[in-house]
Amino acid sequence: MTDTGSPARPRILVANDDGIFSPGIKALAFALQGVGDVVVAAPDVEQSAVGHGITIRRPLRFKHTAAAGFGDIPAYRVDGTPADCVVLATHLLGRPDLVVSGINLGSNLGDDLTHSGTVAAAFEGLALGVPSVAFSQQSGTDGEYDFAPGAAYAARLVAEVLARGLPPRVLLNVNFPRTPPRGVRVTRVGEHRWEDTLVTRQDPEGREYHWVAGTSTAADADDDTTDYGAVHAGLISVTPVRLDLTARDLLAEVGGYVPGV
């Protein structure tokens, strides 16, 4: 009888939007080593809130780096967006079995999903036909993060996703509370959003410049069936998110008033 050897370990691509030097991506990559063969591809500088941007107007550089502190894990830095990182790594290194993004410095809840670079990296994996999971952690009140509990849970969840798979065009958006979690809740996307404000000032030459700021709001903050409510109740929030944005319940209604040509 021929010995076929051990089964191949799953290939896991880890990306983020905080940059390759972020402690969150290091914690995640090291935790996933026990689950599969990990490779890291991340922006060379912070790319928070860039959304699902793809760079098409200039060339991109994809450089192996040993200076980022990943030890034996192959790590590459990209002078582009989180989505760029997933595209380049998939084409240059081979198709992974799973794309994992994070752990982000700060939560990604509610409307954050529309501009989050962390979630965008997972969306790009999904667009390439690869199961994907995004991980984020609520900011600590003192600006400090303890990634150990989240990274350990991420490894357990990733093992389940690799074993069971995900439905087509569905990713998981996972958020950890700032304190040690007291449980896990499968949630829906809540109503968390930012009330934008514009701060206008003048530079030394008298020319106006503007800062976009905002205040976090959530009408359903006390509802722990939502992502925001669960995290603020000290729970890990796991939200299945579908790439299909069609409002199917409105197809007939809109069809009733759209004018013909």
Side-chain angles (χ1 to χ4, degrees):
M1 183 173 181
T2 302
D3 182 6
T4 58
S6 301
R9 280 162 56 86
R11 301 180 69 248
I12 303 171
L13 171 61
V14 180
N16 75 347
D17 73 356
D18 289 317
I20 197 161
F21 296 101
S22 169
I25 195 172
K26 290 186 180 68
L28 183 59
F30 287 130
L32 295 181
Q33 279 188 295
V35 182
D37 291 336
V38 177
V39 63
V40 172
D44 57 0
V45 296
E46 184 179 346
Q47 294 281 337
S48 296
V50 300
H52 199 168
I54 297 286
T55 302
I56 60 172
R57 301 295 183 189
R58 64 171 178 84
L60 291 167
R61 301 196 183 276
F62 186 80
K63 298 180 180 180
H64 182 268
T65 178
F70 287 93
D72 294 333
I73 299 174
Y76 298 83
R77 55 195 297 177
V78 180
D79 61 340
T81 67
D84 290 333
C85 296
V86 175
V87 172
L88 266 64
T90 299
H91 285 277
L92 296 175
L93 303 177
R95 184 184 183 86
D97 297 299
L98 187 72
V99 171
V100 179
S101 184
I103 299 171
N104 190 63
L105 306 179
S107 54
N108 280 298
L109 307 163
D111 288 0
D112 296 347
L113 274 63
T114 62
H115 58 251
S116 165
T118 303
V119 177
F123 267 129
E124 187 57 31
L126 200 61
L128 294 171
V130 180
S132 301
V133 185
F135 293 100
S136 303
Q137 181 158 327
Q138 186 182 29
S139 302
T141 54
D142 56 1
E144 297 295 324
Y145 292 86
D146 178 8
F147 292 109
Y153 181 82
R156 293 170 53 205
L157 179 60
V158 163
E160 289 292 336
V161 170
L162 286 167
R164 299 170 180 267
L166 287 172
R169 297 172 68 79
V170 171
L171 63 83
L172 297 181
N173 183 46
V174 182
N175 283 269
F176 303 116
R178 64 170 62 95
T179 55
R182 61 179 187 84
V184 181
R185 181 68 48 85
V186 177
T187 60
R188 60 184 175 86
V189 177
E191 298 179 20
H192 171 253
R193 63 192 182 92
W194 292 89
E195 294 282 356
D196 290 334
T197 58
L198 195 65
V199 178
T200 300
R201 295 174 180 166
Q202 289 187 336
D203 67 17
E205 296 184 5
R207 296 172 301 190
E208 283 190 351
Y209 67 90
H210 311 280
W211 281 102
V212 176
T215 303
S216 174
T217 67
D220 50 6
D222 296 327
D223 182 356
D224 65 9
T225 68
T226 70
D227 51 8
Y228 186 94
V231 168
H232 283 261
L235 302 169
I236 298 173
S237 167
V238 180
T239 309
V241 179
R242 194 180 301 278
L243 185 57
D244 182 359
L245 303 180
T246 308
R248 298 184 182 279
D249 57 320
L250 297 179
L251 288 173
E253 178 182 339
V254 174
Y257 64 74
V258 170
V261 295

PDB file of all heavy atoms in Angstrom, residues 27-28 31 103 135-137 146-156 174 176-177 181 236:
ATOM      1  N   ALA A  27      -0.511  39.193  16.174  1.00  0.00           N
ATOM      2  CA  ALA A  27      -1.201  38.284  17.084  1.00  0.00           C
ATOM      3  C   ALA A  27      -2.040  37.277  16.305  1.00  0.00           C
ATOM      4  O   ALA A  27      -2.071  36.083  16.632  1.00  0.00           O
ATOM      5  CB  ALA A  27      -2.070  39.080  18.052  1.00  0.00           C
ATOM      6  N   LEU A  28      -2.721  37.750  15.263  1.00  0.00           N
ATOM      7  CA  LEU A  28      -3.577  36.872  14.464  1.00  0.00           C
ATOM      8  C   LEU A  28      -2.747  35.858  13.692  1.00  0.00           C
ATOM      9  O   LEU A  28      -3.053  34.656  13.689  1.00  0.00           O
ATOM     10  CB  LEU A  28      -4.420  37.715  13.507  1.00  0.00           C
ATOM     11  CG  LEU A  28      -5.422  36.969  12.640  1.00  0.00           C
ATOM     12  CD1 LEU A  28      -6.419  36.200  13.485  1.00  0.00           C
ATOM     13  CD2 LEU A  28      -6.155  37.950  11.713  1.00  0.00           C
ATOM     14  N   ALA A  31      -1.316  33.161  15.956  1.00  0.00           N
ATOM     15  CA  ALA A  31      -2.348  32.267  16.468  1.00  0.00           C
ATOM     16  C   ALA A  31      -2.804  31.261  15.412  1.00  0.00           C
ATOM     17  O   ALA A  31      -3.160  30.122  15.738  1.00  0.00           O
ATOM     18  CB  ALA A  31      -3.543  33.081  16.971  1.00  0.00           C
ATOM     19  N   ILE A 103      -6.065  41.456  13.172  1.00  0.00           N
ATOM     20  CA  ILE A 103      -7.142  41.982  14.008  1.00  0.00           C
ATOM     21  C   ILE A 103      -7.046  43.504  13.978  1.00  0.00           C
ATOM     22  O   ILE A 103      -6.004  44.066  14.307  1.00  0.00           O
ATOM     23  CB  ILE A 103      -7.042  41.479  15.457  1.00  0.00           C
ATOM     24  CG1 ILE A 103      -7.144  39.943  15.491  1.00  0.00           C
ATOM     25  CG2 ILE A 103      -8.107  42.096  16.325  1.00  0.00           C
ATOM     26  CD1 ILE A 103      -6.836  39.358  16.867  1.00  0.00           C
ATOM     27  N   PHE A 135     -11.622  40.226  11.336  1.00  0.00           N
ATOM     28  CA  PHE A 135     -11.577  40.324  12.794  1.00  0.00           C
ATOM     29  C   PHE A 135     -11.209  41.748  13.211  1.00  0.00           C
ATOM     30  O   PHE A 135     -10.267  42.330  12.672  1.00  0.00           O
ATOM     31  CB  PHE A 135     -10.538  39.362  13.389  1.00  0.00           C
ATOM     32  CG  PHE A 135     -10.883  37.909  13.228  1.00  0.00           C
ATOM     33  CD1 PHE A 135     -10.301  37.155  12.221  1.00  0.00           C
ATOM     34  CD2 PHE A 135     -11.788  37.294  14.086  1.00  0.00           C
ATOM     35  CE1 PHE A 135     -10.599  35.810  12.071  1.00  0.00           C
ATOM     36  CE2 PHE A 135     -12.095  35.948  13.942  1.00  0.00           C
ATOM     37  CZ  PHE A 135     -11.505  35.201  12.933  1.00  0.00           C
ATOM     38  N   SER A 136     -11.937  42.283  14.184  1.00  0.00           N
ATOM     39  CA  SER A 136     -11.661  43.616  14.727  1.00  0.00           C
ATOM     40  C   SER A 136     -11.837  43.583  16.235  1.00  0.00           C
ATOM     41  O   SER A 136     -12.571  42.744  16.765  1.00  0.00           O
ATOM     42  CB  SER A 136     -12.607  44.662  14.127  1.00  0.00           C
ATOM     43  OG  SER A 136     -12.527  44.689  12.715  1.00  0.00           O
ATOM     44  N   GLN A 137     -11.167  44.509  16.927  1.00  0.00           N
ATOM     45  CA  GLN A 137     -11.282  44.571  18.385  1.00  0.00           C
ATOM     46  C   GLN A 137     -11.625  45.983  18.829  1.00  0.00           C
ATOM     47  O   GLN A 137     -11.000  46.953  18.396  1.00  0.00           O
ATOM     48  CB  GLN A 137      -9.987  44.115  19.063  1.00  0.00           C
ATOM     49  CG  GLN A 137     -10.088  44.140  20.587  1.00  0.00           C
ATOM     50  CD  GLN A 137      -9.094  43.228  21.252  1.00  0.00           C
ATOM     51  OE1 GLN A 137      -8.752  42.174  20.730  1.00  0.00           O
ATOM     52  NE2 GLN A 137      -8.622  43.623  22.421  1.00  0.00           N
ATOM     53  N   ASP A 146      -5.462  44.154  24.323  1.00  0.00           N
ATOM     54  CA  ASP A 146      -5.011  42.813  24.659  1.00  0.00           C
ATOM     55  C   ASP A 146      -5.572  41.887  23.592  1.00  0.00           C
ATOM     56  O   ASP A 146      -6.759  41.539  23.618  1.00  0.00           O
ATOM     57  CB  ASP A 146      -5.495  42.410  26.046  1.00  0.00           C
ATOM     58  CG  ASP A 146      -5.076  40.982  26.421  1.00  0.00           C
ATOM     59  OD1 ASP A 146      -4.282  40.382  25.652  1.00  0.00           O
ATOM     60  OD2 ASP A 146      -5.546  40.472  27.451  1.00  0.00           O
ATOM     61  N   PHE A 147      -4.723  41.489  22.646  1.00  0.00           N
ATOM     62  CA  PHE A 147      -5.202  40.689  21.523  1.00  0.00           C
ATOM     63  C   PHE A 147      -5.233  39.192  21.823  1.00  0.00           C
ATOM     64  O   PHE A 147      -5.734  38.416  21.007  1.00  0.00           O
ATOM     65  CB  PHE A 147      -4.307  40.925  20.298  1.00  0.00           C
ATOM     66  CG  PHE A 147      -4.423  42.308  19.725  1.00  0.00           C
ATOM     67  CD1 PHE A 147      -3.385  43.215  19.854  1.00  0.00           C
ATOM     68  CD2 PHE A 147      -5.566  42.703  19.056  1.00  0.00           C
ATOM     69  CE1 PHE A 147      -3.485  44.482  19.321  1.00  0.00           C
ATOM     70  CE2 PHE A 147      -5.686  43.973  18.527  1.00  0.00           C
ATOM     71  CZ  PHE A 147      -4.637  44.871  18.663  1.00  0.00           C
ATOM     72  N   ALA A 148      -4.703  38.769  22.958  1.00  0.00           N
ATOM     73  CA  ALA A 148      -4.573  37.338  23.223  1.00  0.00           C
ATOM     74  C   ALA A 148      -5.917  36.591  23.204  1.00  0.00           C
ATOM     75  O   ALA A 148      -6.041  35.560  22.525  1.00  0.00           O
ATOM     76  CB  ALA A 148      -3.838  37.105  24.543  1.00  0.00           C
ATOM     77  N   PRO A 149      -6.960  37.089  23.921  1.00  0.00           N
ATOM     78  CA  PRO A 149      -8.225  36.344  23.883  1.00  0.00           C
ATOM     79  C   PRO A 149      -8.830  36.287  22.478  1.00  0.00           C
ATOM     80  O   PRO A 149      -9.321  35.229  22.050  1.00  0.00           O
ATOM     81  CB  PRO A 149      -9.125  37.127  24.845  1.00  0.00           C
ATOM     82  CG  PRO A 149      -8.186  37.874  25.731  1.00  0.00           C
ATOM     83  CD  PRO A 149      -7.023  38.219  24.869  1.00  0.00           C
ATOM     84  N   GLY A 150      -8.790  37.403  21.754  1.00  0.00           N
ATOM     85  CA  GLY A 150      -9.359  37.429  20.410  1.00  0.00           C
ATOM     86  C   GLY A 150      -8.598  36.535  19.448  1.00  0.00           C
ATOM     87  O   GLY A 150      -9.196  35.816  18.636  1.00  0.00           O
ATOM     88  N   ALA A 151      -7.273  36.567  19.507  1.00  0.00           N
ATOM     89  CA  ALA A 151      -6.470  35.745  18.613  1.00  0.00           C
ATOM     90  C   ALA A 151      -6.718  34.260  18.868  1.00  0.00           C
ATOM     91  O   ALA A 151      -6.805  33.449  17.935  1.00  0.00           O
ATOM     92  CB  ALA A 151      -4.994  36.082  18.778  1.00  0.00           C
ATOM     93  N   ALA A 152      -6.833  33.879  20.139  1.00  0.00           N
ATOM     94  CA  ALA A 152      -7.099  32.480  20.467  1.00  0.00           C
ATOM     95  C   ALA A 152      -8.469  32.051  19.930  1.00  0.00           C
ATOM     96  O   ALA A 152      -8.618  30.948  19.380  1.00  0.00           O
ATOM     97  CB  ALA A 152      -7.029  32.275  21.977  1.00  0.00           C
ATOM     98  N   TYR A 153      -9.466  32.930  20.088  1.00  0.00           N
ATOM     99  CA  TYR A 153     -10.795  32.593  19.560  1.00  0.00           C
ATOM    100  C   TYR A 153     -10.764  32.546  18.033  1.00  0.00           C
ATOM    101  O   TYR A 153     -11.401  31.675  17.418  1.00  0.00           O
ATOM    102  CB  TYR A 153     -11.824  33.617  20.024  1.00  0.00           C
ATOM    103  CG  TYR A 153     -13.216  33.297  19.528  1.00  0.00           C
ATOM    104  CD1 TYR A 153     -14.012  32.379  20.193  1.00  0.00           C
ATOM    105  CD2 TYR A 153     -13.725  33.895  18.376  1.00  0.00           C
ATOM    106  CE1 TYR A 153     -15.272  32.046  19.727  1.00  0.00           C
ATOM    107  CE2 TYR A 153     -14.987  33.576  17.904  1.00  0.00           C
ATOM    108  CZ  TYR A 153     -15.755  32.652  18.575  1.00  0.00           C
ATOM    109  OH  TYR A 153     -17.002  32.315  18.105  1.00  0.00           O
ATOM    110  N   ALA A 154     -10.027  33.465  17.406  1.00  0.00           N
ATOM    111  CA  ALA A 154      -9.939  33.486  15.946  1.00  0.00           C
ATOM    112  C   ALA A 154      -9.421  32.156  15.415  1.00  0.00           C
ATOM    113  O   ALA A 154      -9.913  31.633  14.406  1.00  0.00           O
ATOM    114  CB  ALA A 154      -9.038  34.633  15.501  1.00  0.00           C
ATOM    115  N   ALA A 155      -8.420  31.580  16.076  1.00  0.00           N
ATOM    116  CA  ALA A 155      -7.869  30.303  15.633  1.00  0.00           C
ATOM    117  C   ALA A 155      -8.928  29.204  15.691  1.00  0.00           C
ATOM    118  O   ALA A 155      -9.028  28.371  14.774  1.00  0.00           O
ATOM    119  CB  ALA A 155      -6.658  29.934  16.489  1.00  0.00           C
ATOM    120  N   ARG A 156      -9.743  29.202  16.738  1.00  0.00           N
ATOM    121  CA  ARG A 156     -10.799  28.194  16.861  1.00  0.00           C
ATOM    122  C   ARG A 156     -11.858  28.376  15.778  1.00  0.00           C
ATOM    123  O   ARG A 156     -12.313  27.404  15.156  1.00  0.00           O
ATOM    124  CB  ARG A 156     -11.438  28.275  18.243  1.00  0.00           C
ATOM    125  CG  ARG A 156     -10.502  27.870  19.382  1.00  0.00           C
ATOM    126  CD  ARG A 156     -11.116  28.205  20.730  1.00  0.00           C
ATOM    127  NE  ARG A 156     -12.459  27.659  20.867  1.00  0.00           N
ATOM    128  CZ  ARG A 156     -13.391  28.164  21.676  1.00  0.00           C
ATOM    129  NH1 ARG A 156     -13.108  29.212  22.435  1.00  0.00           N
ATOM    130  NH2 ARG A 156     -14.576  27.607  21.746  1.00  0.00           N
ATOM    131  N   VAL A 174     -16.236  39.584  12.435  1.00  0.00           N
ATOM    132  CA  VAL A 174     -16.136  39.249  13.855  1.00  0.00           C
ATOM    133  C   VAL A 174     -15.557  40.438  14.607  1.00  0.00           C
ATOM    134  O   VAL A 174     -14.548  41.015  14.194  1.00  0.00           O
ATOM    135  CB  VAL A 174     -15.240  38.008  14.063  1.00  0.00           C
ATOM    136  CG1 VAL A 174     -15.178  37.629  15.540  1.00  0.00           C
ATOM    137  CG2 VAL A 174     -15.745  36.839  13.221  1.00  0.00           C
ATOM    138  N   PHE A 176     -14.446  41.767  18.605  1.00  0.00           N
ATOM    139  CA  PHE A 176     -14.179  41.412  19.983  1.00  0.00           C
ATOM    140  C   PHE A 176     -14.386  42.623  20.887  1.00  0.00           C
ATOM    141  O   PHE A 176     -14.042  43.749  20.516  1.00  0.00           O
ATOM    142  CB  PHE A 176     -12.730  40.935  20.146  1.00  0.00           C
ATOM    143  CG  PHE A 176     -12.369  39.770  19.280  1.00  0.00           C
ATOM    144  CD1 PHE A 176     -11.403  39.902  18.287  1.00  0.00           C
ATOM    145  CD2 PHE A 176     -12.992  38.545  19.436  1.00  0.00           C
ATOM    146  CE1 PHE A 176     -11.065  38.835  17.483  1.00  0.00           C
ATOM    147  CE2 PHE A 176     -12.660  37.465  18.633  1.00  0.00           C
ATOM    148  CZ  PHE A 176     -11.694  37.614  17.646  1.00  0.00           C
ATOM    149  N   PRO A 177     -14.919  42.411  22.092  1.00  0.00           N
ATOM    150  CA  PRO A 177     -15.043  43.525  23.043  1.00  0.00           C
ATOM    151  C   PRO A 177     -13.680  43.892  23.625  1.00  0.00           C
ATOM    152  O   PRO A 177     -12.726  43.120  23.534  1.00  0.00           O
ATOM    153  CB  PRO A 177     -15.974  42.965  24.116  1.00  0.00           C
ATOM    154  CG  PRO A 177     -15.720  41.486  24.086  1.00  0.00           C
ATOM    155  CD  PRO A 177     -15.438  41.142  22.645  1.00  0.00           C
ATOM    156  N   PRO A 181     -14.064  38.517  26.733  1.00  0.00           N
ATOM    157  CA  PRO A 181     -15.461  38.264  26.357  1.00  0.00           C
ATOM    158  C   PRO A 181     -16.175  37.343  27.333  1.00  0.00           C
ATOM    159  O   PRO A 181     -15.592  36.401  27.867  1.00  0.00           O
ATOM    160  CB  PRO A 181     -15.344  37.620  24.971  1.00  0.00           C
ATOM    161  CG  PRO A 181     -13.955  37.067  24.925  1.00  0.00           C
ATOM    162  CD  PRO A 181     -13.112  37.973  25.752  1.00  0.00           C
ATOM    163  N   ILE A 236     -18.508  38.567  22.060  1.00  0.00           N
ATOM    164  CA  ILE A 236     -17.939  38.491  20.717  1.00  0.00           C
ATOM    165  C   ILE A 236     -19.094  38.480  19.730  1.00  0.00           C
ATOM    166  O   ILE A 236     -20.036  37.696  19.867  1.00  0.00           O
ATOM    167  CB  ILE A 236     -17.084  37.223  20.544  1.00  0.00           C
ATOM    168  CG1 ILE A 236     -15.902  37.228  21.503  1.00  0.00           C
ATOM    169  CG2 ILE A 236     -16.604  37.099  19.099  1.00  0.00           C
ATOM    170  CD1 ILE A 236     -15.112  35.928  21.500  1.00  0.00           C
TER     171      ILE A 236
END
